[in-house]
Amino acid sequence: LAEGVRLVEAVEKHGLVYNLAENYPFTPENMYLKRKWQEGLFGELMYAEFDYVHEIRPLAYVYLDGLPVKPGNTAHNWRSWLSFHYYCTHSLGPIMNITGLRPTRVVSLPSEPTLPGFLNKGCQGMGNATPSLISMSNGSVIRNLMGGTTNDSHMQRLWGTRGASENGCGGGLNLRLGGRGDSPKFAVNPS
């Protein structure tokens, strides 16, 4: 705890930002979207869908260095038993960073069937689909999907009052601008 306090004090003293092993908000696509969002290209957020569905059974039984867990030792901590809602940084983190909005209310109905090979059953831990609807600080809604299923998905879609974006939907980053559902969709290279 004292080490954490020293870290916060050092960051504040030097006017820096501390980033603890988070990477998804800072991909080229998400940084591009953030810049364009701040410029007003998309208008105000209406709705978004972000997925981070990743079947990680092999990671539950290895140490961080990739070596298998030895019999008699505990399995890898959070990847074995922690609810997927605690692991929302890859799905919820980007939308918060892009728009600057914050959650105000969360409703979740995790599915109970669990993939075989996870330590816990049902919605008590990992190994199931865990969707939620989140009200954001401007009144918009996000459908946030996390979990471990038989189909990995890292899809991100944003709908603003002036335009929309899709990322990871099989065609890179695509924009549809103009506030119309039938506006042309075009690919963007965020680099």
Side-chain angles (χ1 to χ4, degrees):
L1 190 58
E3 190 175 1
V5 170
R6 286 193 304 274
L7 178 62
V8 169
E9 289 172 346
V11 168
E12 290 174 348
K13 176 181 176 184
H14 297 288
L16 300 174
V17 174
Y18 181 73
N19 187 358
L20 176 65
E22 180 49 64
N23 54 4
Y24 261 55
F26 306 104
T27 64
E29 294 82 5
N30 288 330
M31 294 304 292
Y32 174 88
L33 289 172
K34 180 177 181 172
R35 284 191 309 275
K36 295 302 176 185
W37 204 275
Q38 289 173 338
E39 292 170 9
L41 185 66
F42 297 100
E44 188 174 2
L45 182 67
M46 296 172 64
Y47 178 74
E49 295 180 343
F50 274 55
D51 295 357
Y52 189 75
V53 180
H54 189 33
E55 185 279 303
I56 58 165
R57 284 177 284 194
L59 298 176
Y61 301 103
V62 297
Y63 295 108
L64 291 176
D65 61 6
L67 294 174
V69 173
K70 296 176 184 173
N73 292 343
T74 59
H76 189 279
N77 56 6
W78 62 268
R79 287 184 169 138
S80 301
W81 57 266
L82 190 64
S83 168
F84 270 111
H85 274 286
Y86 292 109
Y87 190 56
C88 63
T89 57
H90 288 1
S91 53
L92 187 56
I95 186 69
M96 292 171 59
N97 193 48
I98 291 166
T99 66
L101 299 173
R102 297 292 179 253
T104 59
R105 183 175 174 222
V106 177
V107 177
S108 177
L109 295 170
S111 67
E112 291 185 14
T114 302
L115 290 174
F118 282 92
L119 298 179
N120 289 317
K121 303 279 187 220
C123 60
Q124 298 172 1
M126 288 192 161
N128 54 358
T130 310
S132 59
L133 289 176
I134 303 170
S135 295
M136 299 300 280
S137 52
N138 76 331
S140 61
V141 175
I142 297 173
R143 195 264 306 139
N144 187 38
L145 178 63
M146 298 149 300
T149 70
T150 53
N151 184 30
D152 286 0
S153 172
H154 308 312
M155 182 270 309
Q156 302 174 347
R157 300 193 305 170
L158 298 164
W159 285 268
T161 55
R162 295 184 184 163
S165 70
E166 293 181 347
N167 186 22
C169 300
L173 178 59
N174 292 287
L175 304 183
R176 179 169 272 160
L177 303 174
R180 291 179 46 111
D182 63 351
S183 299
K185 187 186 294 186
F186 60 94
V188 173
N189 182 352
S191 55

